[in-house]
Amino acid sequence: MNFTVTEEQEELIELVRAVLAQRSDDRAMRAALESDAGYDTELWRLLCTEIGAASLAIPEEAGGAGFSTFETHLVLEELGRGLTPSPYLGSVAITAQAILATHDDEAAARLLPGLAEGTSIGALGWAAPDGRWDPERVAVTATPGEPWRVTGRVPLVLEGATADVLVVIAKTPDGARLFELLEPDAVRRDVTPAMDPGLRVATLHLEDVAARPLGDGAPDVLPLVLDHALTAVSALQSGTAARALASTLAYVGQRVQFGRPIGSFQAVKHRLADLHVRVETAATTTRAAARAVADGSAERTSLARLAKAWCSETLDQVAAEMIQLHGGIAITWEHDAHLVFKRAHALGQLFGTAAEQRARAADWALQPA
């Protein structure tokens, strides 16, 4: 499997990184977190209209650029590196791909152009009542009719408070499947404070809301949606871990103890070397999963699960070491260490913990060579 970055993809990385460096530095990032929207709406417009970041993995016939989710993955890595709050994860990387996974051409032609332009925001209601991915336990039930009606409650919906394109997993007599909510304004939405202030989540309360089934309910749709979600989250984790390591490396070269920079101490060097290996392997693992998902590889599910597990553990460790090696300054509100720490814990739980992913991937990983 070849998941090396092409020259064109490298240009995309450099362009997004340059824009975020200019428009999402520490001060701008914190101002965006404290804004009513929770993100910089002008930066979002710039990413969508000038760079076309939201359209990358959407087919041309649905208003997109016709590339792949691998390019979307590279954008997510940069958003993670910048700690940039954005609807990209929930709207573009998850909801748009969920719609595409159903192969519902009518819905794609109607819903995806707005998501590709960034003028619409999408949200996917996926969680069971305990916040876990388990489509057979979701608390939303769909009743057949013209149109169908859905009733229930969905927690932890990324961008759920403001999205105008709402898709939910609902139980039907034939099993769980995806539905588009036809009356978004009829949905009661309760904002849920998240540990990571860069994630905007809400609980959706559905009371006999009109809905339209997406696709034909094929059994492979929901597993594919999960593969996309796990891989997208791992990209954010990988980018955030790279940022945290870079910040820590810079600090240990400046902080002086006993007349020497602490980065010159052998014990610190060993800890940083371990972190470097973890961050590099996290980047490799998540890009391998991204390529497998983009290409429809038979290994995509196992690689997506392993990427989420490894990137979760990597970001946890890098966040912990960042706090330890920065010392007292790391526990102040003004330093970014607490944002990295909160992101590590929040993303580590989203769509399942590292332990859960390893358990799901065990059958594949333990197969004889």
Side-chain angles (χ1 to χ4, degrees):
M1 179 188 302
N2 182 9
F3 50 88
T4 57
V5 175
T6 66
E7 183 176 343
E8 187 176 36
Q9 291 165 345
E10 188 62 46
E11 290 176 357
L12 172 65
I13 293 172
E14 293 175 358
L15 179 58
V16 174
R17 188 175 298 179
V19 169
L20 296 183
Q22 182 179 19
R23 302 296 298 267
S24 188
D25 58 15
D26 285 355
R27 180 175 297 182
M29 178 263 292
R30 289 170 179 266
L33 288 174
E34 296 170 1
S35 67
D36 291 339
Y39 60 94
D40 185 339
T41 55
E42 180 58 26
L43 173 59
W44 175 245
R45 185 200 64 79
L46 178 63
L47 288 171
C48 294
T49 60
E50 300 298 325
I51 299 179
S55 70
L56 290 169
I58 294 177
E60 293 180 9
E61 57 269 23
F67 290 97
S68 75
T69 52
F70 190 79
E71 284 76 18
T72 297
H73 197 84
L74 300 178
V75 175
L76 282 165
E77 287 180 5
E78 295 308 312
L79 291 173
R81 189 186 303 272
L83 283 176
T84 304
S86 163
Y88 202 87
L89 174 63
S91 181
V92 177
I94 297 177
T95 306
Q97 291 307 310
I99 294 170
L100 285 169
T102 66
H103 298 289
D104 190 323
D105 294 338
E106 188 279 329
R110 181 165 43 82
L111 300 175
L112 293 182
L115 298 182
E117 295 170 355
T119 53
S120 289
I121 300 296
L124 173 65
W126 56 271
D130 61 357
R132 296 305 188 207
W133 174 278
D134 190 344
E136 298 305 322
R137 292 196 305 110
V138 295
V140 178
T141 302
T143 304
E146 291 294 338
W148 287 61
R149 315 297 296 192
V150 295
T151 298
R153 172 181 172 275
V154 195
L156 295 179
V157 182
L158 289 166
E159 311 305 332
T162 58
D164 54 331
V165 175
L166 291 176
V167 177
V168 299
I169 299 174
K171 291 184 289 189
T172 76
D174 298 319
R177 62 184 297 186
L178 289 173
F179 285 82
E180 172 199 356
L181 301 186
L182 301 178
E183 302 170 346
D185 293 339
V187 178
R188 181 163 68 87
R189 316 177 192 210
D190 293 338
V191 175
T192 306
M195 174 176 283
D196 180 358
L199 297 179
R200 290 158 304 283
V201 297
T203 298
L204 305 185
H205 300 270
L206 315 173
E207 297 181 7
D208 199 35
V209 177
R212 175 185 179 276
L214 293 174
D216 59 5
D220 60 339
V221 170
L222 294 180
L224 177 56
V225 172
L226 179 58
D227 292 345
H228 280 293
L230 293 175
T231 308
V233 172
S234 73
L236 277 181
Q237 292 172 315
S238 174
T240 305
R243 175 199 178 100
L245 178 57
S247 174
T248 304
L249 284 170
Y251 184 74
V252 299
Q254 299 166 358
R255 181 182 173 190
V256 175
Q257 291 288 329
F258 308 109
R260 296 167 53 190
I262 64 170
S264 65
F265 299 146
Q266 187 175 30
V268 174
K269 289 180 179 179
H270 287 175
R271 291 164 72 176
L272 291 172
D274 289 342
L275 293 184
H276 175 73
V277 171
R278 273 198 163 271
V279 169
E280 288 298 310
T281 52
T284 300
T285 304
T286 189
R287 287 190 180 182
R291 175 52 64 195
V293 172
D295 293 347
S297 167
E299 296 181 337
R300 69 173 186 238
T301 295
S302 297
L303 288 174
R305 291 170 178 173
L306 293 177
K308 176 59 164 57
W310 186 252
C311 291
S312 294
E313 293 172 344
T314 295
L315 184 53
D316 276 344
Q317 183 169 342
V318 174
E321 291 284 16
M322 181 183 192
I323 292 173
Q324 289 291 322
L325 293 174
H326 275 79
I329 193 175
I331 60 173
T332 64
W333 185 256
E334 291 76 17
H335 199 273
D336 289 346
H338 75 94
L339 296 175
V340 173
F341 182 81
K342 291 173 180 177
R343 171 157 291 187
H345 283 268
L347 293 183
Q349 294 291 324
L350 198 60
F351 293 100
T353 65
E356 290 172 322
Q357 304 308 329
R358 291 189 189 282
R360 290 170 180 167
D363 290 342
W364 169 83
L366 297 176
Q367 285 180 356

